[in-house]
Amino acid sequence: MEKKKIAEFFDQCAPWWDADMVRNEVTITTILDNCGITGGMDVLDVACGTGVLFPDYLKRCVNSVTGIDISPEMVRIAQSKFPEIQVLCGDVEQTSFEKQFDAVMVYNAFPHFPEPARLIEALARLVKPGGRLSIAHGMSRAALQKHHAGRASEVSIDLIHEKELAALFAPFFDVDVIVSNDQMYQVAGTRREGQIHSHGGHRHAHAHSSIHDHSHTGGHEHCSNDTPMEELLALMKYMVSHNDAHAQEMAELAAKIRAAGKEHAYKRIMDAVADFDILNAKFDAVLKELTEENTQ
């Protein structure tokens, strides 16, 4: 799927895009609430189209809105409708921004990005630590698949399972929204502290820590009784981050198995990934409790 073809497709759609737009106000409100869009935030709307959500951001008194879309015609229309909003024409995965954002929203556009894992990593770099990322659709997965079965199939991939998307979030975000029902689809999370590095195609988010190298050996390492609590907390934080990275790798493997036609195996692996994420979330909860106790 070439990005040039995606831009050309949406250039053709742009003139009638607003006329054909169907809005479910309740669903849109839920999606914005789940992303935590509120007053004073700097928001980035990725694949913003003609600015469908721009009025909703403005009603919530955000500090600023920045839109970006790969279609020049979509951008032209959005700029004409909302001259007070900066709208950029480009590929978000390749564009340099002057700042990070409190919230990044991808609404009704995710299947038009051919490499989901690469997109999530790129967006993670654009979200402030403590900020929010939301991938959302105002319809069900089944309805979206049907909607994209025609001409749009040439510029779309299947909308991945919400658990698979949550696993792609996991190295960078604490996921707290996973919704897939008859009305909507959404995964959202809060960006953790730490720098993002790429290693051999695998993406890892490393928390700021004095611990950088932990090798696995045949023996067991024991912490002495006088190990500072700060060092223990740093180790726990490192383990949470690494567990998230491993969950993502399992999800990527599952996607390849699915592409090989093994749907049942794919579902079993994704169930295991979900269980792994739950276990790691419990471990992370203990970490947060100990961190709060240590700061009191």
Side-chain angles (χ1 to χ4, degrees):
M1 186 166 62
E2 297 180 11
K3 293 188 176 182
K4 180 180 179 181
K5 290 184 177 179
I6 298 172
E8 292 172 350
F9 176 86
F10 284 101
D11 278 347
Q12 295 172 7
C13 296
W16 47 262
W17 194 258
D18 285 346
D20 283 3
M21 179 61 59
V22 177
R23 285 176 55 101
N24 184 316
E25 300 299 334
V26 173
T27 297
I28 289 175
T29 297
T30 299
I31 288 171
L32 294 173
D33 287 345
N34 286 346
C35 188
I37 303 295
T38 189
M41 300 180 78
D42 293 318
V43 178
L44 175 65
D45 190 325
V46 176
C48 64
T50 59
V52 173
L53 293 184
F54 287 1
D56 302 278
Y57 302 136
L58 297 177
K59 287 178 183 177
R60 293 182 178 229
C61 300
V62 300
N63 180 60
S64 71
V65 179
T66 302
I68 183 168
D69 200 284
I70 201 170
S71 161
E73 193 61 19
M74 288 283 192
V75 169
R76 184 191 68 77
I77 294 173
Q79 288 175 330
S80 67
K81 291 166 57 182
F82 302 97
E84 72 276 28
I85 291 177
Q86 181 184 33
V87 187
L88 307 174
C89 184
D91 179 355
V92 72
E93 295 175 1
Q94 304 294 330
T95 301
S96 296
F97 292 84
E98 296 180 351
K99 63 182 180 182
Q100 291 180 303
F101 299 87
D102 298 297
V104 174
M105 174 69 77
V106 184
Y107 176 68
N108 286 358
F110 188 55
H112 304 299
F113 291 89
E115 299 181 67
R118 179 178 177 180
L119 174 66
I120 299 305
E121 180 186 3
L123 297 182
R125 297 178 187 278
L126 299 177
V127 181
K128 295 177 183 178
R132 303 278 291 170
L133 172 64
S134 167
I135 307 292
H137 281 273
M139 63 176 69
S140 68
R141 288 181 66 225
L144 186 63
Q145 302 293 78
K146 183 178 180 180
H147 181 67
H148 284 170
R151 287 181 57 237
S153 64
E154 299 178 1
V155 293
S156 306
I157 62 173
D158 289 343
L159 181 60
I160 63 177
H161 193 283
E162 60 275 10
K163 289 183 180 179
E164 184 177 349
L165 179 54
L168 295 181
F169 270 56
F172 319 110
F173 298 89
D174 293 323
V175 177
D176 52 19
V177 175
I178 303 177
V179 179
S180 183
N181 56 36
D182 292 340
Q183 287 76 42
M184 59 178 283
Y185 169 104
Q186 186 176 24
V187 175
T190 301
R191 170 82 152 79
R192 288 194 297 274
E193 296 280 350
Q195 297 179 342
I196 300 172
H197 306 287
S198 295
H199 300 295
H202 298 296
R203 289 149 295 278
H204 302 271
H206 294 287
H208 293 292
S209 168
S210 60
I211 301 173
H212 299 288
D213 183 24
H214 299 279
S215 58
H216 298 281
T217 65
H220 298 280
E221 295 181 342
H222 297 276
C223 296
S224 63
N225 291 335
D226 59 350
T227 303
M229 180 55 67
E230 289 78 7
E231 188 170 328
L232 295 174
L233 293 175
L235 176 57
M236 291 180 70
K237 193 171 184 179
Y238 170 89
M239 292 176 67
V240 168
S241 176
H242 245 55
N243 286 342
D244 284 339
H246 292 320
Q248 180 192 2
E249 290 166 358
M250 286 189 286
E252 290 172 350
L253 173 62
K256 293 178 181 178
I257 290 174
R258 186 186 199 184
K262 305 297 183 181
E263 184 71 20
H264 182 63
Y266 162 79
K267 290 180 179 178
R268 291 178 63 189
I269 293 174
M270 290 310 300
D271 285 342
V273 170
D275 291 340
F276 189 79
D277 284 339
I278 291 172
L279 177 64
N280 200 43
K282 292 180 178 180
F283 186 77
D284 189 34
V286 175
L287 167 62
K288 291 176 180 177
E289 290 177 6
L290 291 176
T291 300
E292 290 178 1
E293 292 177 2
N294 197 51
T295 56
Q296 292 177 352

